[in-house]
Amino acid sequence: MSASPAGSAPSPPVPEAVHQRRWAILTVLMFSLLVVVLDNSILNVAMKVIAQPAPTGLGAAQSELEWAINSYTLVFAGLLFTAGLLGDRLGRKKTLLGGMLVFGVGSVLAAFSGSPGELITFRAVMGLGGAFVMPATLAIIMNVFEREEQPKAIGIWAGSVGLAIAVGPVTGGLLLEHFWWGSVFLVNVPVVALALVAMALLVPDSRDPRPGRLDPVGVLLSVAGLVLLVYGIIEGGQLAEFAAPQVLLTSGGGLLLLVLFVLYERRSDHPALNMAYFRDPAFSAAVGAIALVFFALMGVTFFSVFYMQSVRGYTPLGAGLLMIPLAVAQMVFAPRARLVVDRFGAKAVCTAGMVLVAAALAGFLLLDRDTPIWVLEVLYFVMGAAIAHIMPPATVSIMQALPREKAGTGSAVNNTFRQVGGSLGVAVLGSLLSATYRDHIAGALAQVPAGARREAGESIEGTLTAAERMGAAGQALVDPAKNAFVDAMHVTVVCAAAVALLGALVVALWLPGRPAARAAPGSGDQQPGSDRAPAGTEEGSR
C-alpha cells in the first residue's frame, strides 16, 4: 500500500505503564461503545411506542421513524472522516471525551422531545457526539496493544456490540413497562457520566505526529450526498413509486454529489478520505463486507421489531428478550473469531460468515403469523454467530492495512462504511417493505375514510391505529394488515439475503486468506521482540 508517507520515522515505544493497564483501558473504551450501540438497540424496541399517538408516544409516521434512525447515522457517518482526522491531530482522548459529553447532552434533549421533528433533530446531535467517540476508541486500542494482540482486542471490542444488542432491547423493554418512552434515552446519562470519569483517569492520549489538514469541502460533499440519497429512497417508499420525479431528483443528486466527493478526494492534497487506501484489496474487500453485512442486518432488525410486536403481539420487553440469541452469539463468538481465522484464513471465514448471514435471512421466509417462535430464535442465533466471524477479521484487515499513525482515519473508514451500510439498509429495505405493504393492503382500505386512507396504508402501525379509531368496524382490517406485513417482509428478506450473498462474493474474490502473511508497507510496525511502538502515545495524559 502507498497510503503511508514514505520514509516515516518509527513510532516511539509505548510507556510500560500504559502497556500494563491496556486491558483496563479496553474495558473503559467498551463503555463508550456500549452506550452508543445500546442507544440504537433500545430505539429499535421503542419504535412501536413512539409511533403511537400522544401522550403514549409521539405519533411518528413510518418515514419519521426511519429518520429518527437515519438522522443519527447520517450525521455520524458524514462526520466520521473529520472526527478521525481531528483525533489524529488534536489527540484521541480529547475527542473521545468531547464526543461522549455531546452524546450525553443529546440524549437528555431527545428524552424530552415534544414532536417527531424534535426527536429527529436531537438524534442528529447524538450522532454528532457518536462520530467523535467511535474512531477514537478503535484508534486508542491500536495504540496501546501490540500487533499480535490486536486481533484479540478487536474481537473483544466487537463482542461488546453483542452485549449492547442484548442489554439494549431488554433494558428498553423494562423501561417502557414502567416509564414513558423518553426514558430509553435518559438511561444513557449515568453511563456517560461513569465513562467520562473512567476515561479521564485511565485512558492515555495519542495523536499522529504528522497530521493532515482538515477537508471541509469533502465533508460537506459527503454529508449532502448521503442525506439526499437516503431522503430520496425514503420518499420512494412513502410514495410507493421509486420512479417519481422527486425521488429521482433527490437520490440522483445525492449520487452525483458522492461521485464529486470521490473525484475531489482523489485530487486533494489533504483528503478527508485518502482514496489510495482502496488500492489495497484487503482494505477494500473488508470495507465492502462491513457495509454489506450491516446493510442487511440493520434493515432486517428494523422491520423484525414490528413483526414481533405488531404481528405476533409481544410487548417491547418480550421483543427485547427475543433478540437475546442474536446478541449472545456475538458475545460468545466474536472474541474467539481470531482462532478460526488463524486456522482457515480470513477469506474462508468471512466468506462462510456472509453465506451464513444470507441463509439466516432467507430463513425469515419460514416466519408466518403462527410460526413457532423458536424458529426466529434459531435464525437470530445463526445470524449473530455469522456476524461474529465477519466483523473482527474485517476490522483487523482495515486497521492493519494502514500505518498506526493513521489509526483514527482507519477507524473512521471502518465505522463510516458500517454506518452508511446500516443507514442505507434501513432506508432501502424499510422503503421496500413500506411500498410492498402499501400495495398488498390497498384493497382492504376501502372502508377507511378517504382523508385517513394514505396514512393508514403507510405501515402496519398506521393500519392498526386506523382500525382502533374505527372501533368494531375496524376489526376487519387487523387480519389483512398482518397478512400484508408478513408478505412484505418475505419480499424484503429475499433482497437482504441477496445483498449478503453479494458480500460473500466480494470477500471471496479480494480478501486475502491469511492476514498474518501480509504486512502493510510503511506501517511502522516492528518485528516481534522489538520495543512496543504504538504511535504518539502520551503517558502524561491519564
Side-chain angles (χ1 to χ4, degrees), residues 13 40 114 119 148 201 249 324 410 431 435 437 443 447 465 474 526 538:
N40 282 314
L119 177 61
E148 60 271 15
L201 295 175
L249 285 174
I324 285 181
S431 296
Y437 176 82
Q447 57 183 305
T465 299
Q526 302 175 12
E538 299 172 5

Side-chain angles (χ1 to χ4, degrees), residues 130-439:
F132 286 87
V133 171
M134 293 295 283
T137 59
L138 197 50
I140 291 171
I141 289 173
M142 298 299 291
N143 277 273
V144 299
F145 283 91
E146 299 293 355
R147 187 178 181 90
E148 60 271 15
E149 284 188 323
Q150 287 169 3
K152 180 179 181 181
I154 289 174
I156 295 173
W157 179 85
S160 64
V161 174
L163 176 62
I165 293 174
V167 172
V170 176
T171 303
L174 288 171
L175 290 170
L176 292 172
E177 291 269 328
H178 300 93
F179 305 101
W180 97 114
W181 64 265
S183 61
V184 301
F185 296 108
L186 210 57
V187 73
N188 294 334
V189 177
V191 181
V192 169
L194 288 173
L196 285 172
V197 173
M199 290 170 189
L201 295 175
L202 286 175
V203 176
D205 205 357
S206 61
R207 68 186 72 193
D208 183 356
R210 297 181 180 180
R213 288 185 291 152
L214 298 180
D215 180 19
V217 175
V219 170
L220 288 174
L221 286 173
S222 65
V223 172
L226 288 169
V227 169
L228 285 175
L229 176 62
V230 176
Y231 178 83
I233 293 170
I234 293 175
E235 186 71 9
Q238 287 181 283
L239 298 175
E241 186 180 354
F242 286 92
Q246 60 265 49
V247 175
L248 294 177
L249 285 174
T250 51
S251 57
L255 285 173
L256 177 61
L257 287 177
L258 292 176
V259 170
L260 292 175
F261 167 73
V262 172
L263 295 175
Y264 177 82
E265 296 299 284
R266 290 181 64 182
R267 289 165 173 77
S268 174
D269 59 356
H270 56 283
L273 177 60
N274 190 343
M275 294 300 163
Y277 295 154
F278 291 92
R279 296 173 187 166
D280 186 337
F283 183 88
S284 298
V287 165
I290 286 174
L292 292 172
V293 76
F294 267 83
F295 179 99
L297 174 65
M298 293 302 294
V300 170
T301 302
F302 178 79
F303 66 70
S304 64
V305 171
F306 289 97
Y307 170 75
M308 289 184 286
Q309 296 185 42
S310 300
V311 175
R312 301 301 297 265
Y314 286 92
T315 64
L317 175 58
L321 291 171
L322 289 176
M323 295 183 72
I324 285 181
L326 175 68
V328 169
Q330 291 190 57
M331 291 170 59
V332 170
F333 292 110
R336 297 168 174 81
R338 74 188 192 283
L339 303 176
V340 185
V341 172
D342 288 343
R343 181 171 182 180
F344 299 103
K347 179 195 291 284
V349 173
C350 287
T351 302
M354 295 296 290
V355 171
L356 203 56
V357 168
L361 292 172
F364 273 71
L365 293 171
L366 301 173
L367 300 178
D368 210 328
R369 292 179 56 183
D370 54 359
T371 303
I373 204 63
W374 63 262
V375 175
L376 177 63
E377 300 297 271
V378 171
L379 294 174
Y380 273 151
F381 186 85
V382 172
M383 190 181 303
I387 292 171
H389 287 89
I390 298 170
M391 294 306 298
T395 301
V396 169
S397 293
I398 293 172
M399 298 304 295
Q400 292 190 347
L402 304 185
R404 270 180 162 176
E405 295 82 11
K406 302 298 181 184
T409 302
S411 178
V413 171
N414 174 73
N415 288 293
T416 295
F417 278 84
R418 185 180 70 181
Q419 291 298 325
V420 169
S423 176
L424 291 177
V426 171
V428 173
L429 297 180
S431 296
L432 175 61
L433 179 79
S434 178
T436 308
Y437 176 82
R438 182 190 294 271
D439 182 61

